[in-house]
Amino acid sequence: MRYALRRLPVLVVTLWAAITLNFVLPRMMPGTPADAALGKIAGQGPVTASQRRAIEVMLGVPHGSLLSQYWQYLKAIAEGNFGISYTYFPEPVSKVIGAALPWTLALVGTSTVLAFTTGALLGVLAAWRRGSRLDSVATVGCTFMTAFPYFWTALLLLYALGFVLGWFPIRGGYSSSVSPGWDWTFAASALRHSVLPAFTILISGLGGWLLGMRNNMMGVLGEDYVTFAEANGLPARTVALRYAARNAVLPSATAFGMALGMVVGGSLLTEVVFGYPGIGYLLYNAVVNEDYPLMQALFLVITVSVLLANFVVDLLYGFLDPRVRR
Amino acid sequence: MAGTPGELGAAGGRRGDGVGGSAPGGSGAPGVGAPGTDGTSSGSGGRDGAVADPQPAAPVVEGEPGGHPQRTQQPLLFASGLDVVYEPAGAPVVHAVRGVDLSIDPGEMVGLVGESGCGKSTLGYALTRLLRPPARITAGRVVFDGRDVTALDQGRLRTMRHRGFAVVLQSGMNALNPVRTIDGHFADVLRTHRRVRGAAARQVAEELLGHVELAPTVLDRFPHELSGGMRQRVVIALALALQPKLVVFDEPTTALDVLVQRAVMDTIARLQAEVGFSALVISHDLGLVLGTADRAWVMYAGRIVERRESAALAGAPLHPYSAALLACHGDPTADNVQLGGIPGSPPDLSVPPQGCSFAPRCWMKEPVCRNDPPERVIGTGTVACHLAPRKLVVPRALEATVLASTAGGMGVGQNSTDGTATYDGRAALSAGPGPGASDGPALSPGAAAAPDGAAWAVRRRRSLERVEPEALVLQDVVKQFRTARRTGGRAGGRADGAWPGVGRARSSTVRAVDGVSLSLEPGHAVGLVGASGSGKTTLGRMMAGMDRPSSGTIRLGGLRVETMRSRDLPRYWQRVQMVFQDPYAGLNPVHTVGYAIGRALRNHQRLRDDRLRSELHRLLEVVGLTPSGQFSAKLPHQLSGGQRQRVVIARALAAKPQVLVADEPVSMLDVSLRAGILRLLDELRRDTGVSLLYITHDLLSARLVTDHLLVLQKGRVVESGPTASVLRSPSHSYTKQLIEAIPVVA
Amino acid sequence: MWRTGRKLVGTLWADRKARAGASILALFVLVAVLAPVLSPYSPTATSFARSAPASWSHPLGTTGSGQDALSQLLFGTRVSLLVGFGAGLAATSLAMLVGVVAGYVRGPLEVVLGFLTNLFLVIPGVPLMIVLAAYLPSRGVGTVLVVVSVTGWAWGARVLRAQTTTLASREFVAAARMAGEGTWRIVWHEIVPNMVSLLAASFFAASTAAVLAEAALEFLGLGNPATISWGTMLFWAENSNALLTGQWALLVAPGLCIALLASAMSLVNFGIDAIGNPKLRER
């Protein structure tokens, strides 16, 4: 637990930096995003004074000193008051994001964990049987797979499995004929709709983990403790998993935390292609419609989520490696 | 002292026990027949006849047929015609082991010695089937307990490791899985081989740890929480868990501290006697091997060139290489200490040998050495040398590289200004037997060459031109470190064996150096000895201006290290320079020798162009790297370890320093190269008047190059005085411990 | 530095994967340079039938606004290579500056730079890129290049920083200090020449990421849709529902080119990896 507590300040400072970056960005940009946003929203309908105030606090209209603006901004964030959305007028931004977040968490979370575990396992296997057919097919195949842009893989899958073969729905998070709720028809529909996006994230991410894990394994296999385990006549499985892979996974775990940002980015693009009702598609819509309040809040939510996920991975690392505990 | 007669006697009894214990296993292999050494020695005998020996040597004492005439029992392990090659991608094939025959009897302890790169570890890996690509056995067989190990598949091999052979790897430091507790390690082995689990397994593990003098609490630790010595003990206990008949120890103590080394070796010897396994101890340290093993094999360039009973080898080696290796060891407490070196370096094993591989470095070589030497049986041993068993006179040429110490008794009782002893030492070196000094360079062009008289004179004049040299004075120097370390403590930081210290208290600060005062007078050589963690390196770094003391003063004339600003340090470094420990890390791999030394000349002496070049060449010649033109264009990877260290010394000299701080300058070098470097340091001091701070754990070399000695323990000086008297009549128990830890040859 | 560079190239060429990657890369460069010669038509000419299927005169068909897709593909190589290499170079330079300084100096600067690196490492790049691009009014290739560079340097900085710290603790650096060398000279002449392969690796890694990021930005329509690039080709193809109308070549061809270019860079990097870590070398 001491380990977790020691990590906490880093998390707090990083969170602060991310929040501040979000404050600085729109204020640094040419023009006044707040005015632009207000102007657009005004075209949709009446804007109350408090709504106007919220948007100004978030995106910056020079009322008072920068310091007091910053204070207002921090207060607004603490209250979760991000202003109102233009695209989904007159919904407040927080509500729009709240509706989209579960979709993304379920889709990206599951498929990323799945990609990491299968990739790592295959990487162990490829390294253990280095030089075999499996090894060369896996490494070459993965080199190409990781080079495919997420959105392109998504497009191809959509075309082949969705459009041509018709196995899976090609758009959305659930069928328009069912209404969201905790029932089987909805769950089945949501599951069917998530297969293609999940599969995209899986095969796009898997290659990187496989290659990384294979590289780590190759390094670890040369270590004395692996040779010694072999010299002690331990079963090949024990040597491969408990001695080699167990250590090879450590750098991969570190990389997992750091690559999360990239994975999330890729997943966002996947959502866009499939019109999946998650954060990514929302961000895309916000950008296309120049819905700055929504965009800014989304960026904040994404960044904070990734930071928190990173923190969790960091804590898990403490369990994986006894040398960093205490 | 090791290797007492009593212990040898015990070894005899031990062998008997071993036979009794493993006789059933041995008799299970009726088809094995006579060991392979038999056939080869008769075969080589034939070759021997074909070679026209110009002057028939003393009659070869033919033993009974077979490699080990007096042994009639079945060997536990034997190998015949074993060849191992490395076939790395894009590099020439290296023939690491060539046609090796050997056999190990049940219950005996055999030592395998040789310099690095001679193939000894490869041989150990080949015998235990641990070779990995690109290494491969290309010929020969290894028969263990009646089964050809080279033909076994992995599954069979695995089951065979139980009650078969175990391995203790080079520097057990990394042999333990860092993320697994010690308990986990034992559980894996015991479950696999003995079908013991849970509490029962833990009990067995505790018992095994008891054998290696470790407390049961160690089981709950992770490897990083243990000291180096403890880790190596755990590794030994794990090997014992296999209940092996043979344990191969590959450099079992190399990375350990001197005091710990001794304790671990004692444990190994005791266990071998108690448990009765056979042991093959692979080491570069002849002293260690001769002190513990019953028999010793000397390996050179992939072949075993001599195999003898340890005592016989120590007393009268038959192969010139063995004799030369032996001359690299000595007793630092003796009246007259001498150190030999072997010029040149081991041959490139990717080139097929032309005749005897040692011939290029051999001072006795004759035309017949152009032929492959036969392995002759002489007495109870064998030797692969054309000239054997000619009496090996310790060669005069080697005597030339022997360093005279500050003549034994003379130094005793004198204080640090033992000018006479120093003078005598110099006289012995330069005015000594003429053939000695001049033979050196003839034998080894460029490697261990002594500077000629002219160069000496030049240097002496230069040193006279300098400002009046001043003493480097330390007063109450303290260095504290905050322990930000997560590990339980530095490996090998303490004498091992005090096992309850596992869960030691972690203090927030550590005093690495704790109130040291000393004065290094111009032209003097002070030795700083101690076990690792004694603070000697920290002290050396502060004296070299690389670290600042936490308190106390370090002064050289008007320069004060403790208050000096970073940008003034170069001025200090014009007068104090450092020779680093690791010749491989000390030179930047991307720069040529000329660049490295040239930059120092440029910065410190403000030399340019022609004057820089001529000074560069002069320096290279001073350190014996001739022809200097050739060496200045070389990159570090094109040089041997000894040559690199000479470059490091030349770079230090480029500043024309008054003080040289040498931190273990020879500990990473093969023993055969040490004498050359030590001699160079000694000559530099005598010729240029540079004073020397020599940091080491090796008392022998300290005896040879220093006239005053400080013994450091836990950052404090516990004893000091003239080197010879401190070593010959130590008063502090720690000094005595250090002296006792030296393996004694014979 | 020159010597180690040359050695690096030699060792790279000996590696099968790296050789394949370098060959593909060379081919792309050649295509980019010779695009005007190789292209059958001007990439901007809109004089052809719209959304025509593949034919002899238009091997990849035409776009929704009547341009020859093959010509666009050939010219598009230029933008991808420019952004890839340009952003790769910019990101690596930034990474080297931050990484080497943070790795060598002690004190507050080290802490600040280290923190910045870690921050940019965990901040998700694509959303940041999207937000940056959305705020910026001008959306030319230059903007894309800057945005991609700013979001792509952190990984390299981290690796280079670790390597610098390791090298700085080596004895030859201490020896260089004692030989009277200044800090600047130690950094540039003692440390950096030992990181050539690492620098090359981060360059190719950053370039790969830049190629993919540029395509993503253009695909989302956050670049200038009038530019001729693989990313905009995908953008227009998606906008005109090329897949649904059976014009799959409009999507497949630029996508494959992106993937091929990125793989080629990764392949070169495999070779570089193997140099730094001999255990990975092919036998």
Side-chain angles (χ1 to χ4, degrees):
Chain A
M1 209 66 297
R2 281 243 298 284
Y3 173 76
L5 286 177
R6 232 184 27 228
R7 303 252 126 187
L8 214 53
V10 181
L11 173 73
V12 170
V13 177
T14 320
L15 276 178
W16 166 80
I19 290 169
T20 308
L21 179 74
N22 207 31
F23 170 79
V24 171
L25 268 183
R27 285 166 176 78
M28 251 171 45
M29 292 301 150
T32 31
D35 284 349
L38 283 168
K40 290 196 92 171
I41 293 170
Q44 294 271 349
V47 182
T48 65
S50 72
Q51 284 168 346
R52 162 178 295 274
R53 177 91 187 117
I55 287 171
E56 284 173 354
V57 162
M58 293 306 290
L59 291 167
V61 168
H63 289 313
S65 71
L66 212 59
L67 208 68
S68 78
Q69 283 184 47
Y70 186 52
W71 178 244
Q72 302 285 341
Y73 164 84
L74 287 182
K75 244 173 44 188
I77 284 185
E79 292 161 3
N81 184 3
F82 299 103
I84 52 166
S85 163
Y86 154 72
T87 323
Y88 301 91
F89 186 84
E91 295 279 329
V93 166
S94 49
K95 208 173 153 198
V96 176
I97 293 178
L101 201 55
W103 290 95
T104 296
L105 285 181
L107 173 72
V108 177
T110 323
S111 48
T112 302
V113 169
L114 217 58
F116 179 78
T117 39
T118 27
L121 279 174
L122 287 175
V124 169
L125 205 63
W128 190 250
R129 306 211 176 132
R130 58 192 174 284
S132 69
R133 177 103 57 87
L134 172 95
D135 183 25
S136 30
V137 168
T139 42
V140 173
C142 286
T143 310
F144 283 100
M145 249 158 60
T146 47
F148 292 149
Y150 272 80
F151 62 88
W152 190 64
T153 313
L155 281 171
L156 289 192
L157 284 178
L158 185 148
Y159 180 65
L161 303 183
F163 181 69
V164 175
L165 295 173
W167 290 353
F168 299 102
I170 57 174
R171 264 192 94 74
Y174 51 94
S175 165
S176 52
S177 57
V178 299
S179 57
W182 292 110
D183 56 65
W184 277 112
T185 45
F186 174 72
S189 169
L191 204 63
R192 257 171 65 78
H193 278 78
S194 69
V195 169
L196 280 183
F199 194 53
T200 304
I201 298 170
L202 184 70
I203 64 171
S204 299
L206 183 123
W209 303 124
L210 189 152
L211 293 174
M213 192 64 185
R214 181 181 174 273
N215 271 10
N216 300 340
M217 274 293 278
M218 299 294 268
V220 169
L221 285 176
E223 293 285 344
D224 274 355
Y225 51 79
V226 174
T227 311
F228 187 57
E230 258 173 32
N232 284 337
L234 300 186
R237 252 174 73 105
T238 310
V239 177
L241 295 178
R242 267 199 208 149
Y243 286 75
R246 178 67 177 73
N247 281 284
V249 83
L250 295 178
S252 272
T254 316
F256 182 77
M258 284 186 298
L260 261 180
M262 238 166 61
V263 173
V264 167
S267 316
L268 298 189
L269 293 170
T270 308
E271 286 187 8
V272 173
V273 171
F274 288 104
Y276 196 78
I279 293 288
Y281 190 50
L282 204 57
L283 180 66
Y284 174 72
N285 280 333
V287 167
V288 168
N289 296 317
E290 292 180 327
D291 189 351
Y292 291 131
L294 182 58
M295 192 173 85
Q296 188 197 28
L298 276 172
F299 179 64
L300 191 69
V301 167
I302 293 170
T303 311
V304 169
S305 320
V306 170
L307 287 183
L308 287 175
N310 230 306
F311 181 67
V312 172
V313 172
D314 230 22
L315 291 188
L316 286 178
Y317 190 86
F319 286 102
L320 284 178
D321 190 347
R323 284 165 295 185
V324 304
R325 265 179 235 161
R326 300 194 202 193
Chain B
M1 306 281 154
T4 56
E7 209 172 299
L8 284 176
R14 207 190 295 162
R15 191 169 300 151
D17 297 347
V19 175
S22 65
S27 60
V32 171
T37 38
D38 183 9
T40 322
S41 54
S42 59
S44 53
R47 253 183 292 152
D48 191 17
V51 173
D53 206 335
Q55 34 174 190
V60 173
V61 188
E62 292 293 351
E64 296 144 55
H68 311 292
Q70 283 159 7
R71 285 159 230 269
T72 48
Q73 55 185 287
Q74 202 73 251
L76 176 66
L77 171 126
F78 81 84
S80 61
L82 196 61
D83 272 10
V84 181
V85 298
Y86 282 86
E87 296 163 323
V93 173
V94 173
H95 212 132
V97 173
R98 292 173 202 271
V100 164
D101 307 317
L102 56 81
S103 74
I104 298 174
D105 289 340
E108 76 167 335
M109 191 173 199
V110 183
L112 179 63
V113 278
E115 289 179 87
S116 56
C118 71
K120 55 187 190 303
S121 286
T122 309
L123 180 57
Y125 274 52
L127 294 177
T128 50
R129 275 289 303 273
L130 285 173
L131 286 179
R132 291 244 185 89
R136 180 164 77 83
I137 297 176
T138 49
R141 54 188 196 136
V142 178
V143 177
F144 180 84
D145 219 2
R147 261 176 295 180
D148 188 347
V149 176
T150 49
L152 287 181
D153 63 49
Q154 284 298 327
R156 291 265 181 75
L157 194 65
R158 252 195 304 278
T159 45
M160 177 141 184
R161 297 203 186 269
H162 181 218
R163 296 186 190 280
F165 42 79
V167 180
V168 172
L169 287 172
Q170 197 157 13
S171 72
M173 302 303 216
N174 306 319
L176 296 174
N177 185 349
V179 297
R180 207 152 167 67
T181 58
I182 305 304
D183 194 27
H185 285 85
F186 278 101
D188 287 341
V189 173
L190 293 174
R191 187 178 52 238
T192 307
H193 294 299
R194 298 212 208 160
R195 314 257 167 247
V196 186
R197 292 165 191 274
R202 195 169 165 105
Q203 203 184 337
V204 176
E206 283 178 8
E207 211 172 286
L208 285 165
L209 283 180
H211 280 310
V212 293
E213 293 139 41
L214 289 176
T217 51
V218 167
L219 282 175
D220 301 321
R221 305 276 156 189
F222 284 99
H224 70 270
E225 297 174 311
L226 304 178
S227 74
M230 294 166 96
R231 266 183 268 180
Q232 189 63 307
R233 284 169 190 277
V234 169
V235 170
I236 293 170
L238 278 167
L240 289 182
L242 295 172
Q243 302 171 305
K245 294 199 184 88
L246 169 73
V247 184
V248 175
F249 294 92
D250 184 10
E251 302 275 8
T253 62
T254 301
L256 302 177
D257 178 62
V258 266
L259 293 177
V260 182
Q261 271 186 11
R262 179 56 193 268
V264 169
M265 272 326 284
D266 285 349
T267 303
I268 290 174
R270 183 178 54 71
L271 284 173
Q272 200 245 341
E274 284 172 13
V275 183
F277 53 81
S278 304
L280 176 65
V281 178
I282 300 171
S283 175
H284 67 279
D285 189 340
L286 187 60
L288 183 139
V289 162
L290 293 182
T292 35
D294 310 325
R295 288 196 292 149
W297 300 334
V298 180
M299 199 163 175
Y300 188 77
R303 294 188 61 174
I304 295 180
V305 295
E306 179 167 358
R307 33 185 133 212
R308 303 281 299 284
E309 307 270 328
S310 294
L313 180 67
L318 290 168
H319 198 284
Y321 180 62
S322 319
L325 270 188
L326 213 53
C328 300
H329 293 268
D331 176 6
T333 62
D335 286 348
N336 189 16
V337 184
Q338 295 184 327
L339 189 66
I342 313 173
S345 47
D348 180 357
L349 292 179
S350 61
V351 182
Q354 301 287 317
C356 174
S357 317
F358 187 62
R361 298 173 82 184
C362 185
W363 66 94
M364 294 174 66
K365 64 168 173 281
E366 291 184 1
V368 67
C369 298
R370 279 198 292 267
N371 301 310
D372 205 16
E375 188 166 11
R376 297 179 178 185
V377 178
I378 293 174
T380 58
T382 71
V383 59
C385 176
H386 289 287
L387 309 174
R390 192 185 291 176
K391 185 166 162 50
L392 279 179
V393 192
V394 179
R396 292 193 73 81
L398 258 172
E399 268 183 336
T401 62
V402 160
L403 288 161
S405 80
T406 52
M410 233 176 281
V412 181
Q414 292 180 343
N415 56 19
S416 64
T417 56
D418 48 353
T420 34
T422 309
Y423 181 75
D424 284 354
R426 183 189 341 197
L429 256 180
S430 53
S438 55
D439 267 350
L443 227 199
S444 56
D452 58 288
W456 289 21
V458 170
R459 283 212 64 92
R460 204 165 300 152
R461 190 153 24 81
R462 276 171 188 277
S463 63
L464 287 177
E465 284 163 10
R466 296 188 66 108
V467 283
E468 195 58 35
E470 288 144 322
L472 181 59
V473 184
L474 277 69
Q475 210 144 38
D476 267 333
V477 169
V478 173
K479 181 72 181 179
Q480 288 188 340
F481 287 115
R482 255 174 303 164
T483 46
R485 277 187 239 107
R486 286 187 217 97
T487 54
R490 51 191 303 167
R494 306 151 288 113
D496 184 67
W499 43 260
V502 180
R504 81 199 68 93
R506 295 204 319 276
S507 60
S508 54
T509 58
V510 162
R511 286 198 164 205
V513 174
D514 195 0
V516 171
S517 302
L518 73 94
S519 166
L520 181 57
E521 303 291 334
H524 280 243
V526 170
L528 210 55
V529 297
S532 57
S534 60
K536 54 188 196 301
T537 292
T538 312
L539 188 59
R541 282 177 61 88
M542 287 191 287
M543 288 173 73
M546 313 231 332
D547 273 330
R548 235 171 278 234
S550 308
S551 71
T553 61
I554 300 177
R555 271 179 315 172
L556 180 74
L559 300 172
R560 297 170 67 110
V561 171
E562 70 278 5
T563 55
M564 209 176 294
R565 276 175 301 191
S566 304
R567 71 177 120 96
D568 295 329
L569 277 169
R571 268 175 55 221
Y572 185 73
W573 289 327
Q574 286 186 348
R575 302 174 72 181
V576 180
Q577 278 284 326
M578 185 149 179
V579 176
F580 295 92
Q581 176 177 16
D582 184 354
Y584 292 88
L587 294 174
N588 193 331
V590 305
H591 292 316
T592 61
V593 169
Y595 177 92
I597 302 173
R599 288 301 302 178
L601 286 170
R602 221 182 139 86
N603 293 331
H604 286 311
Q605 293 200 40
R606 310 259 160 238
L607 295 181
R608 298 286 186 276
D609 308 322
D610 283 350
R611 289 189 51 212
L612 188 147
R613 255 193 299 282
S614 68
E615 180 65 13
L616 165 67
H617 289 293
R618 193 188 66 80
L619 278 175
L620 285 173
E621 272 157 32
V622 165
V623 298
L625 293 176
T626 48
S628 55
Q630 209 177 51
F631 276 104
S632 75
K634 288 203 172 179
L635 286 168
H637 74 261
Q638 298 167 308
L639 303 176
S640 71
Q643 288 169 334
R644 285 170 187 233
Q645 201 58 309
R646 284 168 193 272
V647 175
V648 169
I649 293 172
R651 180 177 52 193
L653 291 177
K656 284 197 190 174
Q658 292 168 16
V659 180
L660 266 188
V661 176
D663 184 4
E664 303 262 22
V666 295
S667 67
M668 311 270 289
L669 299 177
D670 270 318
V671 279
S672 66
L673 299 171
R674 292 182 182 176
I677 299 293
L678 291 174
R679 180 192 162 116
L680 174 64
L681 286 173
D682 199 49
E683 281 168 0
L684 286 171
R685 175 169 75 93
R686 290 166 198 283
D687 301 339
T688 67
V690 68
S691 49
L692 180 68
L693 180 81
Y694 181 74
I695 301 169
T696 190
H697 66 270
D698 172 29
L699 300 179
L700 178 65
S701 64
R703 171 82 192 272
L704 288 162
V705 297
T706 69
D707 37 43
H708 200 89
L709 201 63
L710 286 109
V711 182
L712 223 59
Q713 184 193 19
K714 291 178 184 163
R716 290 173 182 273
V717 177
V718 294
E719 184 161 3
S720 75
T723 304
S725 55
V726 168
L727 293 180
R728 288 162 62 83
S729 47
S731 54
H732 196 275
S733 61
Y734 182 68
T735 317
K736 287 177 190 158
Q737 258 183 306
L738 285 175
I739 292 170
E740 273 163 24
I742 303 167
V744 169
V745 176
Chain C
M1 188 119 182
W2 169 238
R3 195 167 30 231
T4 51
R6 212 173 41 196
K7 217 173 87 191
L8 181 80
V9 172
T11 324
L12 267 186
W13 197 248
D15 188 285
R16 197 154 38 97
K17 285 184 198 152
R19 201 162 55 221
S23 307
I24 300 172
L25 221 49
L27 192 72
F28 273 118
V29 172
L30 210 67
V31 168
V33 171
L34 297 180
V37 184
L38 297 172
S39 304
Y41 312 100
S42 158
T44 46
T46 50
S47 47
F48 312 106
R50 296 183 176 189
S51 303
S55 64
W56 279 111
S57 48
H58 300 287
L60 296 178
T62 61
T63 66
S65 42
Q67 298 143 319
D68 178 50
L70 178 64
S71 304
Q72 288 209 323
L73 192 72
L74 293 174
F75 272 91
T77 314
R78 294 182 156 190
V79 173
S80 282
L81 279 184
L82 181 75
V83 174
F85 286 140
L89 202 65
T92 309
S93 308
L94 198 61
M96 181 165 83
L97 198 70
V98 173
V100 170
V101 171
Y104 193 73
V105 302
R106 298 277 155 271
L109 187 61
E110 174 205 3
V111 176
V112 169
L113 289 179
F115 178 73
L116 262 184
T117 308
N118 284 338
L119 183 66
F120 270 87
L121 212 53
V122 289
I123 286 185
V126 170
L128 177 61
M129 224 163 55
I130 291 173
V131 169
L132 275 177
Y135 279 131
L136 289 171
S138 91
R139 291 178 179 178
V141 173
T143 315
V144 172
L145 207 150
V146 168
V147 167
V148 170
S149 309
V150 165
T151 51
W153 59 272
W155 182 270
R158 187 191 155 99
V159 176
L160 291 172
R161 178 186 171 200
Q163 177 76 352
T164 305
T165 314
T166 313
L167 286 171
S169 67
R170 296 278 286 278
E171 285 183 348
F172 66 75
V173 170
R177 280 181 67 209
M178 296 195 83
E181 302 280 41
T183 304
W184 204 236
R185 185 146 185 122
I186 286 176
V187 167
W188 288 107
H189 287 83
E190 304 289 333
I191 291 178
V192 171
N194 279 297
M195 304 199 299
V196 171
S197 66
L198 211 54
L199 282 169
S202 21
F203 169 73
F204 281 109
S207 299
T208 313
V211 167
L212 294 176
E214 182 259 349
L217 275 185
E218 303 268 17
F219 172 72
L220 289 179
L222 288 170
N224 179 358
T227 327
I228 305 295
S229 76
W230 296 337
T232 43
M233 284 180 75
L234 288 171
F235 170 73
W236 288 118
E238 167 74 351
N239 264 19
S240 57
N241 284 326
L243 275 183
L244 309 188
T245 59
Q247 273 197 301
W248 51 269
L250 286 185
L251 269 168
V252 172
L256 264 184
C257 281
I258 293 166
L260 203 60
L261 180 59
S263 331
M265 288 172 170
S266 313
L267 283 175
V268 173
N269 238 350
F270 276 141
I272 297 172
D273 264 359
I275 291 170
N277 185 357
K279 283 172 189 159
L280 299 178
R281 253 176 235 177
E282 308 182 357
R283 280 191 295 278

